[in-house]
Amino acid sequence: MNDLRITVNGEPRTAAPGTTVAALVAALGMEAARVAVERNQDVVPRRTWTEALLGDGDQVEIVAFVGGGSGQPPVGGGSGQPPGGGDDPLVIGGRTFRSRLLVGTGKYATIEQGREAILRSGAEIVTVALRRVDMTPGKPNVLDTIDRKRHTLLPNTAGCFTADEAVRTCRLARELGMADMVKLEVIGDARTLFPDGAATLEAARILVKDGFTVLPYCMDDPVLAKKLADVGCAAVMPLGAPIGSGLGIRNPYNLRIILEMLEPAKIPVIVDAGVGTASDAAVALELGCDGVLMNTAIAGARDPLMMAEAMRDAVIAGRKAFRAGRIPRKLYAAASSPLDGLID
């Protein structure tokens, strides 16, 4: 009998008739617990791998999480304790977090640098992307570097350009044993990386019905933010500026409108993308945003470890300033020293 002709992660391969998904994964030298498998765009549940026979022409995708990581003892300093007080937690989908800083795990020079930067940031939620498995033997996996007891992994759908791609990615993340909290990202333009609002809303509806806790990345569009809240998203994540641009908060007024419109829903507004330095993070929290997510601002800094600490402190300071309440802006001066008792 002729061999089966299949495609694995875009590469043509052959397999003997009767080959199962489990046998294919084993033959490729992959650790079954670290990967998820999709066949012809349908997730193959791990419990069925030993019975799932491959067929001629099957298109197989084998994916794993990629990025930097965190969770091991610090290389040099940093307590790794989440910042913030227990009386003012960030609540997302019923889960409570002390830190209002969410960080990405990519773009670091080394996995070790990423691990230490994330530790120093005090972040409890770290994002990871799902990609085709690199079949190079001994290639490190992001899960090797993250202590799941300390950090919550937030799978994201970065790189997806359609609602279908995003939904498939989230289902694969679930198959990898992740919790149901996901960052939904559907890109509408490859140059600006602006999100596709309509596709994001479509994917959000499907994922919420599927039982996911959805955190969608979106434009700073109050109408779209309200629609995402209405379909059951656990938070909304409007951009401050284009991803990786470092331009800071370009439209604080739209963010204020979003905060006002979503206040009755009591769901968090988390600024996602565009932060360049610590003052940008502080501004986001001073506006009343519930948190901020960043990656490039830390990983791309001249000293990522020091910037991670700066971002941690800025988020704490911004939140405290918001809670304390700034003084009103005035056009003219108002003396701070008493005017009574002046010398004639």
Side-chain angles (χ1 to χ4, degrees), residues 296-317:
T296 306
I298 297 176
R302 185 170 61 249
D303 185 337
L305 305 187
M306 186 179 294
M307 185 61 80
E309 295 174 347
M311 292 299 188
R312 175 197 65 204
D313 296 343
V315 167
I316 294 172

Side-chain angles (χ1 to χ4, degrees), residues 18-335:
T19 299
T20 64
V21 169
L24 175 66
V25 170
L28 293 172
M30 299 175 184
E31 187 177 346
R34 299 296 184 90
V35 299
V37 178
E38 184 184 70
R39 180 178 57 182
N40 303 326
Q41 299 191 358
D42 289 324
V43 174
V44 183
R46 186 172 283 103
R47 66 181 181 277
T48 69
W49 284 9
T50 56
E51 292 84 30
L53 295 173
L54 296 175
D56 193 53
D58 276 355
Q59 296 186 18
V60 180
E61 296 287 346
I62 304 177
V63 300
F65 289 118
V66 298
S70 179
Q72 301 300 318
V75 175
S79 68
Q81 294 301 313
D87 64 331
D88 184 37
L90 172 63
V91 181
I92 303 175
R95 300 188 61 181
T96 299
F97 303 93
R98 291 178 59 196
S99 174
R100 292 177 178 272
L101 175 60
L102 294 70
V103 296
T105 52
K107 297 188 176 182
Y108 290 101
T110 64
I111 284 180
E112 291 72 24
Q113 184 189 66
R115 174 192 305 133
E116 176 67 4
I118 293 167
L119 184 67
R120 292 193 186 195
S121 76
E124 294 169 276
I125 300 176
V126 295
T127 66
V128 288
L130 203 63
R131 292 291 184 272
R132 287 173 168 172
V133 170
D134 187 332
M135 298 185 187
T136 306
K139 189 76 173 182
N141 184 290
V142 66
L143 298 182
D144 294 327
T145 65
I146 295 180
D147 182 353
R148 299 277 294 278
K149 295 180 181 178
R150 173 179 289 171
H151 295 107
T152 295
L153 287 183
L154 181 64
N156 69 41
T157 63
C160 293
F161 282 81
T162 68
D164 179 65
E165 289 176 357
V167 170
R168 287 167 53 200
T169 299
C170 290
R171 288 171 176 166
L172 282 165
R174 176 185 273 171
E175 181 62 21
L176 271 167
M178 297 297 103
D180 289 326
M181 189 164 70
V182 294
K183 179 194 169 189
L184 174 60
E185 187 173 317
V186 185
I187 299 301
D189 178 71
R191 183 179 183 186
T192 63
L193 298 182
F194 285 155
D196 183 326
T200 299
L201 186 59
E202 178 187 351
R205 284 196 183 99
I206 296 169
L207 291 169
V208 169
K209 289 180 179 178
D210 249 4
F212 286 94
T213 300
V214 182
L215 284 63
Y217 161 65
C218 60
M219 295 293 290
D220 53 352
D221 176 352
V223 175
L224 177 59
K226 179 67 165 57
K227 289 181 178 180
L228 289 166
D230 288 344
V231 301
C233 291
V236 294
M237 305 181 74
L239 55 74
I243 292 173
S245 68
L247 290 173
I249 309 300
R250 295 294 84 200
N251 195 338
Y253 305 104
N254 271 24
L255 291 178
R256 287 173 60 184
I257 295 171
I258 291 172
L259 287 163
E260 181 180 315
M261 291 181 68
L262 297 192
E263 199 282 330
K266 304 297 182 186
I267 66 171
V269 175
I270 300 170
V271 170
D272 178 14
V275 169
T277 191
S279 58
D280 298 332
V283 166
L285 274 292
E286 287 174 10
L287 285 170
C289 294
D290 298 278
V292 61
L293 188 153
M294 65 186 71
N295 187 180
T296 306
I298 297 176
R302 185 170 61 249
D303 185 337
L305 305 187
M306 186 179 294
M307 185 61 80
E309 295 174 347
M311 292 299 188
R312 175 197 65 204
D313 296 343
V315 167
I316 294 172
R319 180 64 179 179
K320 286 184 175 180
F322 169 73
R323 296 182 71 193
R326 64 159 294 133
I327 64 170
R329 290 181 171 86
K330 298 178 181 179
L331 184 60
Y332 297 104

